[in-house]
């Protein structure tokens, strides 16, 4: 497991802190939105009135300038004990998981299962937002997280379509972009982020990334062992398109069901070929100009 | 209980919500794509015409370059969320950010063009101006194409997946814009190089954009719907009509040259706008974003970012759920 990013820990020398992150285990999320509220309170984020969406219990809709945690609600007609095959003991294990081990996303009785997941900025190892930011407002902290410096951002908006997760957005009547800071201010005081502290089920776990990943592997093994074949870790590997992330997830369905991209890629990986095509096109334009100006009569 | 089967599965998206954010850029940006290309290619046309002794055309092309180089930063600054902080653009130089590289190119090209203009009007600073001419012409080339790199280096499928061709579309558009502007303001008997440039640019613009849209396949749908499609039609019609007018009557009639130039300029601007708008359609529909990624996974090019197989053989026995862990 390699946790390094381009700027962390290298550029911090002995000032570097351990890389901190979130493991969001959605299998125990109860959709209480305490994280959303705690985040708004602590970071003094303006109100975001979105109205009534009709999308289950979700009226926050998405992450954005004024929503740095977002709890997604998915209703599926897919009861727990009809989920795939499996031996009798596995079915029994799943039932006991649901009962005493806090697999809280299943509602019994009417055959509806609920998936709930608290989404957040991923603090990517290869962060497109940070790489494209022309002002340097976005930077890598000593904790390996990605933060916008609000006194530097000039609201150019480049990071907004660059993020493969649609996290960043511009705040109306402010002009700058805002997103989760992984409570940079609290970290410096050795406090855990507000959302993790508020989460009553420990669905949001905060800690050193290496340790979180280890715990997550065991949790995945536990769920898989009990026949919960849909359980998967998302962004927990160094070899995905963003080099893994500080905020990673345990999901119970495909990422896109939660509004997450199944194969996010940092566009910088293609930037070499983009610059090459740009240079070739510039040369072609030069050739065209020469041909037009020097060819034929003047 | 029975398994309801895949038919009862909800659509594979989160309530149809977009996965990535639409850009927050407004009308200034497609206009800048146009003025930046105009400034860049006009400087090249002006410099080369000068070298060939065509002063009448050179002066007008320099004027067009100056107009483009003046309008460009104004448009860009007005699009910023915090216009007063525009100087932060030159706070660093980052090759990973086409916007950063482009800001420096625009600043240097604009300053060079400004010097040329200053010398033309006041006769002062002759030596620096002599250097500024080729500098403006050369810097004008990347100024015309980097904006394609800027939009291609995002998560927007319709831009990112056409990264190999988009710079050529923008380069052709720049040639078209510069040729059109020069043709419209230059007496026809001095404007032959500008006409050639405009016609060459028109052919390349039409061809390259068509090829780009086809190569995108299903991801190119945003070009065939809504505002991007309308703008695309306007662009094709204006460019074809303008080119026809210019090719048949442009050398003999001043009125035809003006009409042809205006048509071609309108076409070039509409084409930039069509590319801009297609990006919004592409970003707002999760089908395009997820679809392209699912295809990569299905083709075995990547495992994707999710993994069901644990890296540990068996769970720690003492590990309860996180809910019960201390
Ligand atoms: S999720 Fe988006 S905003 Fe967060 S670090 Fe990654 S690229 Fe940046
Ligand atoms: S909007 Fe702000 S944070 Fe985002 S790329 Fe521009 S300057 Fe950087």
């Amino acid at each position: 497991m390699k946790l390094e990013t381009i700027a962390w820990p290298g550029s911090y020398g002995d000032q570097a802190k351990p890389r901190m992150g979130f493991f969001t285990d959605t299998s125990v999320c109860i959709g209480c939105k305490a994280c959303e509220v705690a985040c708004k309170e602590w970071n003094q984020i303006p109100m975001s009135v979105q109205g009534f969406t009709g999308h289950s219990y979700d009226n926050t809709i998405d992450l954005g300038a004024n929503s740095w945690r977002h709890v997604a609600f998915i209703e599926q007609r897919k009861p727990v004990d009809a989920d795939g095959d499996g031996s009798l003991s596995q079915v029994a294990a799943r039932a006991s998981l649901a009962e005493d081990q806090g697999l809280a996303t299943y509602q019994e009785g009417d055959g509806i299962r609920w998936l709930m997941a608290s989404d957040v900025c991923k603090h990517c190892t290869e962060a497109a937002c940070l790489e494209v930011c022309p002002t340097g407002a976005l930077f890598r902290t000593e904790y390996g997280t990605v933060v916008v410096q609000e006194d530097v951002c000039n609201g150019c908006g480049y990071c907004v379509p660059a993020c493969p997760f649609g996290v960043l957005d511009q705040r109306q009547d402010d002009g700058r972009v805002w997103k989760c800071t992984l409570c940079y201010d609290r970290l410096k005081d050795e406090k855990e982020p507000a959302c993790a502290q508020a989460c009553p089920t420990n669905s949001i776990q905060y800690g050193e990334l290496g340790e979180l990943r280890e715990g997550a592997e065991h949790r995945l093994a536990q769920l898989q062992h009990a026949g919960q074949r849909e359980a998967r870790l998302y962004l927990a590997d160094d070899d995905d398109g963003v080099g893994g992330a500080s905020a990673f997830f345990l999901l119970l369905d495909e990422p896109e069901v939660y509004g997450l991209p199944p194969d996010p890629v940092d566009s910088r990986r293609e930037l070499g070929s983009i610059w090459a095509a740009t240079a070739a096109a510039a040369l072609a334009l030069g050739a065209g100009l020469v041909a037009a100006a020097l060819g034929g009569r003047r | 209980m029975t398994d309801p089967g895949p038919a009862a599965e909800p659509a594979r998206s989160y309530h149809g919500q977009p996965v990535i954010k639409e850009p927050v850029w407004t009308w200034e940006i497609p206009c800048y794509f146009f003025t930046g290309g105009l400034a860049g290619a006009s400087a090249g046309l002006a410099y080369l015409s000068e070298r060939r002794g065509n002063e009448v055309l050179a002066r007008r092309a320099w004027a067009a370059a100056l107009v483009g180089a003046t309008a460009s930063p104004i448009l860009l600054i007005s699009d910023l969320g915090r216009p007063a902080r525009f100087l932060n653009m030159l706070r660093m130089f980052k090759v990973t950010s086409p916007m950063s590289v482009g800001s420096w190119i625009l600043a240097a090209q604009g300053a060079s063009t400004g010097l040329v203009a200053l010398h033309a009007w006041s006769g002062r600073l002759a030596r620096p101006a002599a250097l500024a001419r080729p500098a403006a012409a050369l810097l004008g080339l990347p100024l015309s194409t980097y904006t394609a790199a800027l939009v291609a280096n995002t998560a927007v499928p319709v831009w990112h997946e056409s990264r190999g061709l988009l710079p050529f579309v923008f380069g052709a558009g720049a040639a078209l814009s510069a040729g059109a502007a020069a043709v419209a303001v230059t007496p026809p008997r001095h404007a032959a190089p500008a006409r050639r440039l405009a016609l060459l640019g028109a052919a390349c613009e039409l061809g390259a954009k068509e090829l780009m849209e086809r190569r995108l396949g299903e991801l190119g749908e945003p070009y065939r719907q809504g505002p991007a499609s309308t703008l695309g039609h306007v662009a094709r019609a204006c460019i074809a009509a303008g080119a026809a007018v210019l090719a048949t009557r442009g050398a003999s009639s001043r009125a035809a040259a003006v009409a042809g130039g205006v048509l071609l300029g309108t076409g070039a601007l509409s084409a930039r706008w069509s590319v801009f708008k297609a990006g919004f359609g592409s970003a707002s529909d999760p089908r395009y974003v997820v679809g392209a990624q699912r295809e990569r996974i299905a083709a075995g090019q990547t495992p994707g970012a999710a993994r069901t197989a644990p890296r540990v053989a068996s769970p720690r026995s003492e590990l309860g759920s996180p809910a019960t862990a201390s």
Side-chain angles (χ1 to χ4, degrees):
Chain A
M1 179 162 35
K2 107 179 194 311
L3 301 172
E4 289 90 43
T5 75
I6 291 170
W8 179 96
S11 61
Y12 282 99
D14 51 9
Q15 307 279 301
K17 297 283 185 353
R19 185 163 172 196
M20 305 307 280
F22 288 131
F23 169 43
T24 306
D25 178 354
T26 70
S27 71
V28 289
C29 177
I30 54 170
C32 68
K33 302 192 195 181
C35 50
E36 283 191 17
V37 175
C39 177
K40 282 236 175 196
E41 288 276 339
W42 178 263
N43 294 298
Q44 301 187 321
I45 302 174
M47 181 165 71
S48 44
V49 186
Q50 313 261 36
F52 177 69
T53 63
H55 298 163
S56 191
Y57 281 74
D58 181 10
N59 293 314
T60 307
I61 302 178
D62 57 4
L63 292 172
N66 295 338
S67 309
W68 301 355
R69 271 275 176 194
H70 163 231
V71 182
F73 290 77
I74 300 120
E75 296 172 20
Q76 294 178 332
R77 199 158 288 283
K78 195 168 189 180
V80 60
D81 46 355
D83 179 23
D85 41 20
S87 66
L88 276 178
S89 70
Q90 283 181 332
V91 172
R94 279 204 294 278
S96 84
L97 261 180
E99 260 167 41
D100 15 285
Q101 296 211 349
L103 189 75
T105 44
Y106 293 99
Q107 185 167 297
E108 288 171 54
D110 53 6
I112 289 275
R113 81 161 177 170
W114 277 12
L115 302 178
M116 286 157 275
S118 180
D119 196 10
V120 69
C121 167
K122 321 301 180 282
H123 298 274
C124 309
T125 302
E126 295 171 38
C129 62
L130 186 161
E131 286 152 0
V132 304
C133 175
T135 65
L138 275 153
F139 81 114
R140 181 79 60 184
T141 73
E142 65 270 38
Y143 300 96
T145 54
V146 179
V147 172
V148 192
Q149 301 172 81
E150 298 309 342
D151 51 344
V152 178
C153 172
N154 66 8
C156 75
Y158 199 1
C159 51
V160 174
C163 168
F165 302 94
V167 166
L168 279 148
D169 208 355
Q170 199 172 33
R171 187 174 287 170
Q172 297 304 313
D173 67 31
D174 172 276
R176 294 170 293 179
V177 302
W178 300 81
K179 74 168 189 74
C180 160
T181 68
L182 214 133
C183 283
Y184 190 31
D185 51 346
R186 291 171 64 98
L187 262 56
K188 283 196 263 196
D189 270 351
E190 289 176 13
K191 299 233 168 23
E192 73 177 320
C195 55
Q197 189 172 42
C199 178
T201 64
N202 231 352
S203 171
I204 301 174
Q205 299 169 43
Y206 162 76
E208 289 190 22
L209 183 55
E211 288 171 16
L212 288 178
R213 281 192 180 177
E214 214 183 298
E217 294 297 342
H218 284 276
R219 176 66 176 160
L220 176 64
Q222 182 187 39
L223 291 175
Q224 285 284 346
H225 193 71
Q228 189 44 249
R229 296 278 173 240
E230 290 191 305
R232 70 201 75 202
L233 291 181
Y234 178 69
L235 298 174
D237 294 311
D238 300 326
D239 57 3
D240 63 34
V242 296
S246 294
F248 65 105
F249 301 79
L250 187 143
L251 306 176
L252 294 175
D253 203 339
E254 285 170 340
E256 54 265 45
V257 170
Y258 297 87
L260 297 165
D263 184 38
V265 177
D266 174 11
S267 58
R268 175 192 164 137
R269 293 189 172 189
E270 303 293 346
L271 189 54
S273 73
I274 292 175
W275 278 134
T278 305
L283 288 176
L285 173 61
L289 281 163
V290 169
L294 306 186
R297 297 175 303 119
R298 62 184 172 95
Chain B
M1 261 179 268
T2 53
D3 190 335
E9 288 278 318
R12 304 268 92 179
S13 81
Y14 181 68
H15 302 292
Q17 286 294 314
V19 171
I20 60 172
K21 288 277 183 296
E22 278 183 16
V24 291
W25 299 319
T26 46
W27 62 272
E28 292 98 331
I29 298 304
C31 289
Y32 165 64
F33 291 166
F34 174 77
T35 60
L38 175 68
S42 292
L45 176 65
Y47 178 68
L48 291 168
S49 306
E50 213 165 57
R51 298 298 302 261
R52 263 215 115 178
N54 186 344
E55 273 300 326
V56 178
L57 176 58
R59 223 173 313 130
R60 286 164 173 79
W62 278 123
L66 186 68
V67 169
T70 311
S72 295
I74 296 175
L75 289 167
L76 287 181
I77 291 170
S78 115
D79 182 68
L80 292 178
R82 286 286 172 107
R85 293 187 180 171
F86 73 94
L87 270 180
N88 283 5
M89 280 299 181
L90 305 182
R91 214 179 142 248
M92 34 178 46
F93 179 83
K94 274 169 86 169
V95 277
T96 61
S97 170
M99 192 183 281
S100 167
V101 174
S103 298
W104 284 100
I105 295 175
L106 176 64
Q109 206 270 354
S112 307
T113 308
L115 252 179
V116 174
L118 188 73
H119 173 252
W121 277 318
S122 69
R124 269 183 246 183
L125 298 172
R127 305 260 315 266
L131 285 177
R133 285 159 207 276
L138 274 179
L139 288 166
L141 304 179
L143 177 62
S144 303
T145 56
Y146 93 85
T147 38
L150 192 157
V151 296
N153 189 44
T154 62
V156 179
V158 82
W159 292 339
H160 186 70
E161 300 304 332
S162 60
R163 55 190 177 269
L165 276 172
L166 203 53
F168 291 91
V169 177
F170 277 37
L176 170 61
S177 312
V183 158
V185 296
T186 310
R189 71 197 164 85
H190 299 284
R195 277 196 299 278
R196 288 193 290 267
L197 185 66
L199 292 175
L200 182 68
C204 294
E205 161 91 64
L206 288 177
K209 190 159 181 283
E210 183 66 30
L211 183 65
M212 174 183 79
E213 291 177 22
R214 290 211 181 158
R215 283 233 190 126
L216 280 167
E218 222 176 302
L219 287 181
E221 262 173 28
Y223 279 114
R224 300 188 280 278
Q225 295 163 353
S229 156
T230 312
L231 287 159
H233 286 311
V234 171
R236 278 188 293 273
C238 286
I239 293 173
V245 170
L246 213 56
T248 52
R249 312 262 308 125
S252 50
S253 149
R254 186 76 201 256
V258 173
V262 169
L263 277 169
L264 288 175
T266 311
L269 176 61
S270 309
R272 301 288 75 73
W273 217 303
S274 154
V275 171
F276 179 71
K277 277 293 177 190
F280 287 71
S282 181
S284 63
D285 193 330
R287 270 188 310 142
Y288 304 125
V289 179
V290 172
Q293 299 183 9
R294 272 287 158 216
E295 265 172 39
R296 290 201 291 266
I297 296 173
Q301 293 162 4
T302 160
R307 161 172 58 82
T308 51
R311 290 205 194 282
V312 291
S314 60
R316 246 185 242 144
S317 55
E318 79 276 20
L319 190 92
S321 81
T324 54
S326 59

